[in-house]
Amino acid sequence: MTDSALDLGEPQQPQKADAYQVLARKYRPKTFSQLIGQDAMVTTLANAIRRDRLAHAFLLTGVRGVGKTSTARLIAKALNCVGPDGEGGPTIDPCGVCEPCRAISEGRHIDVIEMDAASHTGIDDVREIIEGSRYAAVSARYKIYIIDEVHMLSKQAFNGLLKTLEEPPAHVKFLFATTEVNKVPVTVLSRCQRFDLRRIPADRLTEHFAHVAQSEGVEAEPEALALVARAAEGSARDGLSILDQAIAHAGMEGGGVRADAVRQMLGLSDRGAIRDLFGLLLAGDAPAVLDALRRQYEYGVDPQAVLKTLLETVHGATLAKVGSRPDPALSGEEREALAHWGTRLSYPMLHRLWQLLLKGHEEVSSAALPIEACEMALLRIVHAATLPDPGELARKLADGSGQTAAPAAPAVAPAGAPAGASAASAAPRGDMAASPAPALGLEPVALPSDPDALWALLGEHGRHEMQAQVRNHLRPIRFAPPELEISAARPLPADFARDLANELRQITGTSWKIATANAPGGATLREREQQDEEDFRAQVRADPVVAAALEAFPDARIDWDKTKRSA
């Protein structure tokens, strides 16, 4: 038997498995069109490249995960791209197929040097940059230095870089990225073109995560993606990391990415349960409040997270009250509930709730017994619900009605709340019937039937400045409370319509919509008073007795004040 007969060849090697690439790296933007939420910066860079007005140093700042380093690499590709035919110049749309583009994307281009300032903080590291910047680029159009977390450089390193940074060679560009721009010396800031990368809005993140989930072949509930976007706090990288975890969690549980699974994974409280808890707080139902809190605690929700979500609820209701655009990441049910509370709660009550919850959040964060501290904080809010509003109390003391019993205020419950929560919010308990009513709602006030009644209503509630403006400027086109259309054909005071709507909403507890139109409208109260005065005088002069007296005594004058009193 020969040696060749025994040769079995090279043993078969096991195939090397491809390493999994996390979503935050897999979906890192490769073109400026894929960079979400930074349209202003992209437009500025596109115009600078098109007009050949490129700065020699760029400073990119923003919170973590908004794309600072990715943007720096995109700028490097945009400046060094030569196009598929090798004849192109700088462009805001790098081709991604030429050798410079591919080398920069893979991090192996010899003329694009990336340095982490957190691990290269000294003057010696900067000396290497200064020495290297003297030599022309080997194969690229520009030699580019990308320094991440540049604020970590030492004072000596910054000082050593100043001269080169101010007057670099024509072939060198510096790209700095930092999350703490306040730590960068002013002398460096003044030598750079600064771009502040914004937090990515939650609705844009939700759309992006939906695209990623679809590309990965994973089904995801819209509410689940909205929860991930809200938890990301404007950071695409953080959101993709959370989504990666949620997909892995869904693989273990079976099915797609569900909202309840994401909520449990993140330790978030159920926002529906928090809305119920908020309604119970407004109703002053202490036992029900404690039961609802304990249920959340048993589900594994951190007491501090409960207070944080309650703070978000108060903030959302306040924004709804001032007429701010609702957060598109919120569900329709939540937007409806916030609008309801914003209509029914006064500004003093919302500010009081905010301060009480904020104080409770601080106490729970440092408490030895967090759940007990959270219970005490919520009971303090329940107790505050029975206290009269300070502003209303001051007005009652001023007009001498402070001894009268406070009228029962309507309970405030979220729109679409469960039947149990509605009953707890709408009907007072028997043992609370004799106690003062919570000063959380607004006493119902009849809507004015005409401009005269509106003017009188403002005066009754002490809004004398607005009352004067209504008298002088309100020209009604359509009067159908709580909707008004008024004339803007003549100049109006600044923010007249908005301020009037806010005053009437505080007085009546109803949200008013006041629109302006460039039409004549009716006469103002002042103009009507002047017209009535002229008509009265004409009527007096037309009286035969008065006319005869004035004819007999040409120098006589009419005492109009006495004439009015005797009329």
Side-chain angles (χ1 to χ4, degrees), residues 169-384:
H171 60 271
V172 174
K173 302 289 182 185
F174 290 98
L175 302 177
F176 300 143
T178 178
T179 54
E180 300 183 46
V181 69
N182 57 302
K183 294 184 178 180
V184 179
V186 178
T187 50
V188 173
L189 293 176
S190 65
R191 289 166 167 83
C192 301
Q193 192 172 97
R194 173 175 168 175
F195 290 102
D196 290 85
L197 276 68
R198 302 178 178 179
R199 290 181 185 269
I200 305 172
D203 55 337
R204 297 286 301 276
L205 283 178
T206 303
E207 294 175 5
H208 180 56
F209 298 155
H211 170 71
V212 170
Q214 183 179 5
S215 301
E216 293 293 310
V218 176
E219 294 183 3
E221 295 179 355
E223 185 181 356
L225 296 177
L227 287 172
V228 173
R230 195 177 296 117
E233 296 182 345
S235 169
R237 184 176 62 224
D238 287 9
L240 287 173
S241 299
I242 296 172
L243 181 60
D244 218 341
Q245 183 181 356
I247 293 174
H249 186 74
M252 296 173 60
E253 297 291 332
V257 179
R258 302 192 310 275
D260 55 346
V262 172
R263 191 176 289 112
Q264 183 180 9
M265 180 188 76
L266 296 175
L268 298 175
S269 57
D270 184 353
R271 299 187 79 85
I274 291 296
R275 291 197 297 273
D276 295 341
L277 174 59
F278 191 65
L280 295 170
L281 281 171
L282 298 180
D285 193 344
V289 166
L290 296 180
D291 290 343
L293 175 62
R294 281 290 176 176
R295 281 196 299 272
Q296 292 292 302
Y297 186 67
E298 290 168 2
Y299 290 152
V301 180
D302 183 34
Q304 198 169 357
V306 173
L307 291 174
K308 180 176 180 289
T309 312
L310 285 172
L311 281 166
E312 293 174 353
T313 303
V314 174
H315 179 254
T318 307
L319 293 183
K321 188 171 184 67
V322 301
S324 178
R325 185 174 66 90
D327 186 353
L330 299 177
S331 64
E333 183 183 8
E334 189 162 2
R335 286 197 294 268
E336 183 180 351
L338 293 177
H340 174 73
W341 284 322
T343 300
R344 300 303 302 160
L345 295 176
S346 64
Y347 283 111
M349 190 61 239
L350 287 168
H351 295 323
R352 187 194 306 178
L353 283 170
W354 176 265
Q355 293 298 330
L356 290 170
L357 287 169
L358 192 62
K359 179 65 175 175
H361 187 273
E362 294 174 359
E363 291 175 355
V364 171
S365 63
S366 59
L369 303 171
I371 182 60
E372 287 79 3
C374 186
E375 287 178 339
M376 296 300 293
L378 295 185
L379 287 175
R380 189 161 58 225
I381 295 174
V382 170
H383 172 70

Side-chain angles (χ1 to χ4, degrees), residues 527-539:
E527 291 169 345
R528 284 163 46 197
E529 290 171 1
Q530 292 174 345
Q531 185 62 46
D532 291 343
E533 177 74 13
E534 292 176 3
D535 293 344
F536 174 75
R537 295 191 178 195
Q539 183 181 0

Side-chain angles (χ1 to χ4, degrees), residues 156 411 480 488:
Q156 292 80 6

